[in-house]
Amino acid sequence: NAGVTQTPKFRVLKTGQSMTLLCAQDMNHEYMYWYRQDPGMGLRLIHYSVGEGTTAKGEVPDGYNVSRLKKQNFLLGLESAAPSQTSVYFCASLRDQSYNEQFFGPGTRLTVL
Amino acid sequence: KQEVTQIPAALSVPEGENLVLNCSFTDSAIYNLQWFRQDPGKGLTSLLLIQSSQREQTSGRLNASLDKSSGRSTLYIAASQPGDSATYLCAVRPETSGSRLTFGEGTQLTVNP
């Protein structure tokens, strides 16, 4: 199993550009999450999904959209990137709520100029 | 709102020393607490998970304790090695948040040869 994978690993955008980050998991997990990690702020939850076709807002959802059209994929979109969205983005998955351990991807480092 | 604090923010020790990392949380109504390791430029690796009904968990040279009533957890690392150098993150799963985690900012550990 590859576990949780993220594409791309690095990306540089100009202000106002759009992009989509892809998270994929091959563990048949129901729950998936998008976090951002910033210096001095820890990891903060952006959006999450409790199953195919569902999405919900986390702690810092503004400026992001998500979709979960397939169970194994969770997409994070930035429609109009801003410098404040410069961060490292992590995806995670969880088998279901009765389980405990979230599995994390390797991260995507995004810079918005 | 649940808040998680980790002290110290950074720690530098000589090889072979035993050390303790601290994590505190403001709301004792948690489902579990998890310790992660993060290497520079990498994702998160789960080290230990303690259920709210447990007092401690051990894995090799690592021992994590939980005092839910006082809102504290410690991660004890015995006989530290340079390979232990990393950032250690604590995360709690509040009872009322579903599966979402709240993270501390982490402790950056350096073990010097």
Side-chain angles (χ1 to χ4, degrees):
Chain A
N1 288 351
V4 180
T5 58
Q6 293 183 231
T7 316
K9 290 184 170 50
F10 303 93
R11 185 72 186 268
V12 178
L13 291 178
K14 294 181 179 179
T15 297
Q17 288 185 318
S18 62
M19 77 162 294
T20 300
L21 282 66
L22 170 64
C23 175
Q25 51 91 7
D26 61 1
M27 299 173 283
N28 202 34
H29 284 181
E30 290 293 332
Y31 289 35
M32 297 185 75
Y33 311 81
W34 277 108
Y35 295 90
R36 60 178 289 173
Q37 186 177 34
D38 304 290
M41 303 289 287
L43 274 84
R44 293 178 293 168
L45 183 65
I46 305 171
H47 286 282
Y48 64 102
S49 168
V50 299
E52 182 178 321
T54 75
T55 62
K57 294 180 180 180
E59 185 182 356
V60 287
D62 294 342
Y64 305 95
N65 57 76
V66 287
S67 64
R68 184 99 182 267
L69 298 180
K70 294 183 178 180
K71 186 177 183 178
Q72 63 268 33
N73 295 337
F74 195 28
L75 280 65
L76 178 70
L78 286 72
E79 290 187 350
S80 179
S84 61
Q85 294 177 305
T86 294
S87 187
V88 182
Y89 292 86
F90 289 99
C91 176
S93 71
L94 177 72
R95 182 170 173 175
D96 60 48
Q97 190 161 340
S98 64
Y99 284 73
N100 297 309
E101 185 177 349
Q102 287 191 18
F103 293 84
F104 281 77
T108 294
R109 186 172 295 274
L110 175 66
T111 302
V112 183
L113 302 175
Chain B
K1 178 187 174 185
Q2 178 74 267
E3 294 183 359
V4 179
T5 303
Q6 291 187 245
I7 296 173
L11 182 64
S12 181
V13 300
E15 181 177 3
E17 194 161 296
N18 301 325
L19 58 99
V20 174
L21 307 181
N22 296 293
C23 172
S24 62
F25 45 96
T26 54
D27 187 346
S28 62
I30 64 168
Y31 185 71
N32 60 46
L33 182 145
Q34 200 165 354
W35 283 93
F36 293 89
R37 169 183 173 139
Q38 185 177 27
D39 292 291
K42 304 291 185 183
L44 278 67
T45 301
S46 180
L47 296 173
L48 290 165
L49 185 147
I50 311 176
Q51 298 281 34
S52 61
S53 58
Q54 297 175 322
R55 297 284 294 183
E56 65 179 317
Q57 283 284 347
T58 298
S59 176
R61 294 183 293 108
L62 305 180
N63 175 278
S65 68
L66 174 64
D67 185 343
K68 184 180 167 184
S69 60
S70 68
R72 296 177 187 275
S73 176
T74 61
L75 179 66
Y76 175 82
I77 303 177
S80 59
Q81 303 170 357
D84 294 330
S85 297
T87 297
Y88 292 81
L89 294 158
C90 164
V92 299
R93 180 174 163 181
E95 288 180 358
T96 56
S97 76
S99 61
R100 292 174 285 172
L101 298 179
T102 301
F103 282 84
E105 295 177 21
T107 294
Q108 186 174 358
L109 173 65
T110 303
V111 181
N112 301 301

